[in-house]
Amino acid sequence: LVSGVALFEPLVELKEHLNVAKISESGKKQRKNWALMWTVLTSDQLLLYKDKQETSQKPGGKTDVVQLCGAVIEWAKEKSSRKNVFQITTNTGSEYLIQTDSSSTANKWCDAIRKTINSSVRT
Ligand code: I3P
């Protein structure tokens, strides 16, 4: 029964509160505005929620969806005064900075997202 339910849920690789700043939308630069987001990594997307509670199947609960297929991820030390910042650029030209004070957490997320991007390229 448990695995039957899991079939209809996206596979969640990681979930955690991370600081996120969207600095560009479809190639258009945006004002940098850091916000603490409940961040969920699935097998092909990064889901950004304002609140942890919004992970429930509420319509409009997802604040933003980052498509990882064709995206690029890199450390972005020069783009912020904060430490452990990496950037995701989507294939539609949106740019997200992601940051957390724990370097091990940042490494874990950067590696996991990179893996997701690499596996999505192959299919
Ligand atoms: C920005 C805000 C950001 C800061 C950014 C500032 O000011 O302080 O936190 O980025 O620096 O411009 P405002 O709120 O007035 O837009 P970091 O925290 O990542 O350093 P930046 O312009 O050098 O990117």
Side-chain angles (χ1 to χ4, degrees):
L1 208 75
V2 172
S3 60
V5 169
L7 280 175
F8 302 100
E9 300 279 334
L11 184 64
V12 172
E13 314 272 0
L14 287 176
K15 42 188 169 177
E16 200 150 345
H17 275 110
L18 299 175
N19 295 307
V20 180
K22 190 177 194 173
I23 54 168
S24 182
E25 160 97 60
S26 308
K28 195 167 168 279
K29 205 166 186 287
Q30 292 198 327
R31 182 173 173 179
K32 190 198 271 173
N33 192 10
W34 287 105
L36 189 65
M37 305 295 281
W38 180 246
T39 308
V40 177
L41 176 63
T42 72
S43 55
D44 61 349
Q45 294 173 330
L46 201 63
L47 311 177
L48 304 174
Y49 301 90
K50 275 202 196 99
D51 302 307
K52 210 169 164 177
Q53 288 80 359
E54 293 196 42
T55 51
S56 60
Q57 303 295 317
K58 215 170 31 170
K62 274 187 208 72
T63 308
D64 208 349
V65 179
V66 184
Q67 298 293 347
L68 293 177
C69 182
V72 173
I73 186 167
E74 61 203 336
W75 291 102
K77 206 175 178 167
E78 72 292 347
K79 296 220 176 167
S80 175
S81 61
R82 299 179 176 217
K83 57 183 179 179
N84 312 319
V85 178
F86 59 87
Q87 176 174 330
I88 299 170
T89 307
T90 69
N91 66 355
T92 57
S94 289
E95 299 177 307
Y96 297 83
L97 296 181
I98 298 177
Q99 188 268 342
T100 175
D101 284 344
S102 155
S103 60
S104 62
T105 301
N107 277 316
K108 181 181 73 183
W109 276 84
C110 196
D111 289 348
I113 294 169
R114 187 171 280 133
K115 254 189 212 163
T116 302
I117 290 172
N118 289 343
S119 64
S120 70
V121 163
R122 264 183 255 117
T123 53

mmCIF file of all heavy atoms in Angstrom, residues 86-104:
data_model
loop_
_atom_site.group_PDB
_atom_site.id
_atom_site.type_symbol
_atom_site.label_atom_id
_atom_site.label_comp_id
_atom_site.label_asym_id
_atom_site.label_seq_id
_atom_site.Cartn_x
_atom_site.Cartn_y
_atom_site.Cartn_z
ATOM 1 N N PHE A 86 25.421 29.226 -4.688
ATOM 2 C CA PHE A 86 25.525 28.684 -6.041
ATOM 3 C C PHE A 86 24.348 29.173 -6.866
ATOM 4 O O PHE A 86 23.337 29.633 -6.339
ATOM 5 C CB PHE A 86 25.650 27.146 -6.054
ATOM 6 C CG PHE A 86 24.513 26.392 -5.419
ATOM 7 C CD1 PHE A 86 23.386 26.049 -6.149
ATOM 8 C CD2 PHE A 86 24.586 25.985 -4.080
ATOM 9 C CE1 PHE A 86 22.352 25.325 -5.572
ATOM 10 C CE2 PHE A 86 23.551 25.253 -3.490
ATOM 11 C CZ PHE A 86 22.435 24.925 -4.240
ATOM 12 N N GLN A 87 24.551 29.121 -8.197
ATOM 13 C CA GLN A 87 23.551 29.661 -9.121
ATOM 14 C C GLN A 87 23.033 28.571 -10.045
ATOM 15 O O GLN A 87 23.798 27.757 -10.555
ATOM 16 C CB GLN A 87 24.177 30.786 -9.961
ATOM 17 C CG GLN A 87 23.216 31.328 -11.012
ATOM 18 C CD GLN A 87 23.771 32.538 -11.746
ATOM 19 O OE1 GLN A 87 24.544 33.302 -11.194
ATOM 20 N NE2 GLN A 87 23.351 32.709 -12.989
ATOM 21 N N ILE A 88 21.724 28.585 -10.265
ATOM 22 C CA ILE A 88 21.107 27.721 -11.271
ATOM 23 C C ILE A 88 20.570 28.619 -12.373
ATOM 24 O O ILE A 88 19.842 29.575 -12.101
ATOM 25 C CB ILE A 88 19.944 26.895 -10.677
ATOM 26 C CG1 ILE A 88 20.452 25.983 -9.555
ATOM 27 C CG2 ILE A 88 19.263 26.065 -11.774
ATOM 28 C CD1 ILE A 88 19.325 25.317 -8.768
ATOM 29 N N THR A 89 20.958 28.334 -13.606
ATOM 30 C CA THR A 89 20.423 29.032 -14.774
ATOM 31 C C THR A 89 19.599 28.027 -15.566
ATOM 32 O O THR A 89 20.118 26.984 -15.970
ATOM 33 C CB THR A 89 21.560 29.593 -15.653
ATOM 34 O OG1 THR A 89 22.433 30.383 -14.837
ATOM 35 C CG2 THR A 89 21.016 30.450 -16.781
ATOM 36 N N THR A 90 18.321 28.325 -15.764
ATOM 37 C CA THR A 90 17.455 27.370 -16.481
ATOM 38 C C THR A 90 17.613 27.562 -17.987
ATOM 39 O O THR A 90 18.162 28.573 -18.439
ATOM 40 C CB THR A 90 15.973 27.570 -16.114
ATOM 41 O OG1 THR A 90 15.530 28.818 -16.667
ATOM 42 C CG2 THR A 90 15.773 27.565 -14.606
ATOM 43 N N ASN A 91 17.109 26.605 -18.758
ATOM 44 C CA ASN A 91 17.232 26.720 -20.213
ATOM 45 C C ASN A 91 16.294 27.777 -20.786
ATOM 46 O O ASN A 91 16.335 28.061 -21.973
ATOM 47 C CB ASN A 91 17.048 25.348 -20.898
ATOM 48 C CG ASN A 91 15.652 24.796 -20.730
ATOM 49 O OD1 ASN A 91 14.827 25.380 -20.027
ATOM 50 N ND2 ASN A 91 15.378 23.677 -21.363
ATOM 51 N N THR A 92 15.453 28.385 -19.928
ATOM 52 C CA THR A 92 14.619 29.497 -20.385
ATOM 53 C C THR A 92 15.185 30.844 -19.912
ATOM 54 O O THR A 92 14.545 31.883 -20.052
ATOM 55 C CB THR A 92 13.165 29.354 -19.873
ATOM 56 O OG1 THR A 92 13.196 29.262 -18.445
ATOM 57 C CG2 THR A 92 12.498 28.114 -20.449
ATOM 58 N N GLY A 93 16.385 30.812 -19.339
ATOM 59 C CA GLY A 93 17.071 32.044 -18.974
ATOM 60 C C GLY A 93 16.666 32.660 -17.647
ATOM 61 O O GLY A 93 16.825 33.854 -17.438
ATOM 62 N N SER A 94 16.134 31.833 -16.733
ATOM 63 C CA SER A 94 15.896 32.338 -15.380
ATOM 64 C C SER A 94 17.083 31.954 -14.503
ATOM 65 O O SER A 94 17.640 30.865 -14.642
ATOM 66 C CB SER A 94 14.615 31.743 -14.800
ATOM 67 O OG SER A 94 13.499 32.293 -15.462
ATOM 68 N N GLU A 95 17.477 32.886 -13.613
ATOM 69 C CA GLU A 95 18.641 32.658 -12.762
ATOM 70 C C GLU A 95 18.248 32.718 -11.292
ATOM 71 O O GLU A 95 17.583 33.665 -10.857
ATOM 72 C CB GLU A 95 19.717 33.707 -13.045
ATOM 73 C CG GLU A 95 20.238 33.688 -14.468
ATOM 74 C CD GLU A 95 21.264 34.786 -14.731
ATOM 75 O OE1 GLU A 95 20.949 35.969 -14.451
ATOM 76 O OE2 GLU A 95 22.361 34.471 -15.188
ATOM 77 N N TYR A 96 18.673 31.715 -10.546
ATOM 78 C CA TYR A 96 18.395 31.633 -9.117
ATOM 79 C C TYR A 96 19.703 31.520 -8.356
ATOM 80 O O TYR A 96 20.556 30.705 -8.711
ATOM 81 C CB TYR A 96 17.563 30.382 -8.803
ATOM 82 C CG TYR A 96 16.200 30.366 -9.431
ATOM 83 C CD1 TYR A 96 16.039 29.942 -10.742
ATOM 84 C CD2 TYR A 96 15.075 30.758 -8.714
ATOM 85 C CE1 TYR A 96 14.783 29.917 -11.333
ATOM 86 C CE2 TYR A 96 13.816 30.728 -9.291
ATOM 87 C CZ TYR A 96 13.675 30.312 -10.597
ATOM 88 O OH TYR A 96 12.426 30.288 -11.170
ATOM 89 N N LEU A 97 19.854 32.320 -7.296
ATOM 90 C CA LEU A 97 20.958 32.124 -6.362
ATOM 91 C C LEU A 97 20.400 31.357 -5.172
ATOM 92 O O LEU A 97 19.299 31.636 -4.699
ATOM 93 C CB LEU A 97 21.528 33.465 -5.891
ATOM 94 C CG LEU A 97 22.175 34.368 -6.947
ATOM 95 C CD1 LEU A 97 22.697 35.636 -6.268
ATOM 96 C CD2 LEU A 97 23.293 33.648 -7.680
ATOM 97 N N ILE A 98 21.174 30.378 -4.699
ATOM 98 C CA ILE A 98 20.759 29.587 -3.549
ATOM 99 C C ILE A 98 21.887 29.597 -2.535
ATOM 100 O O ILE A 98 23.065 29.483 -2.901
ATOM 101 C CB ILE A 98 20.389 28.153 -3.988
ATOM 102 C CG1 ILE A 98 19.198 28.237 -4.952
ATOM 103 C CG2 ILE A 98 20.072 27.270 -2.789
ATOM 104 C CD1 ILE A 98 18.751 26.935 -5.527
ATOM 105 N N GLN A 99 21.530 29.775 -1.252
ATOM 106 C CA GLN A 99 22.548 29.974 -0.215
ATOM 107 C C GLN A 99 22.121 29.374 1.109
ATOM 108 O O GLN A 99 20.933 29.356 1.452
ATOM 109 C CB GLN A 99 22.781 31.489 -0.045
ATOM 110 C CG GLN A 99 23.931 31.873 0.843
ATOM 111 C CD GLN A 99 23.533 32.086 2.311
ATOM 112 O OE1 GLN A 99 22.360 32.263 2.635
ATOM 113 N NE2 GLN A 99 24.521 32.059 3.184
ATOM 114 N N THR A 100 23.105 28.859 1.827
ATOM 115 C CA THR A 100 22.873 28.431 3.196
ATOM 116 C C THR A 100 24.186 28.593 3.957
ATOM 117 O O THR A 100 25.258 28.511 3.366
ATOM 118 C CB THR A 100 22.356 26.974 3.265
ATOM 119 O OG1 THR A 100 22.261 26.580 4.624
ATOM 120 C CG2 THR A 100 23.253 26.013 2.519
ATOM 121 N N ASP A 101 24.121 28.857 5.250
ATOM 122 C CA ASP A 101 25.344 29.116 6.015
ATOM 123 C C ASP A 101 26.200 27.865 6.204
ATOM 124 O O ASP A 101 27.402 27.959 6.413
ATOM 125 C CB ASP A 101 25.004 29.737 7.376
ATOM 126 C CG ASP A 101 24.633 31.207 7.243
ATOM 127 O OD1 ASP A 101 24.928 31.796 6.176
ATOM 128 O OD2 ASP A 101 24.042 31.763 8.186
ATOM 129 N N SER A 102 25.584 26.700 6.137
ATOM 130 C CA SER A 102 26.323 25.453 6.300
ATOM 131 C C SER A 102 26.947 25.029 4.976
ATOM 132 O O SER A 102 26.237 24.779 3.999
ATOM 133 C CB SER A 102 25.385 24.355 6.816
ATOM 134 O OG SER A 102 25.870 23.090 6.447
ATOM 135 N N SER A 103 28.289 24.962 4.931
ATOM 136 C CA SER A 103 28.946 24.597 3.669
ATOM 137 C C SER A 103 28.663 23.143 3.301
ATOM 138 O O SER A 103 28.567 22.806 2.123
ATOM 139 C CB SER A 103 30.446 24.859 3.750
ATOM 140 O OG SER A 103 31.026 24.104 4.781
ATOM 141 N N SER A 104 28.499 22.280 4.303
ATOM 142 C CA SER A 104 28.205 20.880 3.978
ATOM 143 C C SER A 104 26.815 20.749 3.366
ATOM 144 O O SER A 104 26.609 19.975 2.433
ATOM 145 C CB SER A 104 28.367 19.988 5.210
ATOM 146 O OG SER A 104 27.460 20.356 6.207
#
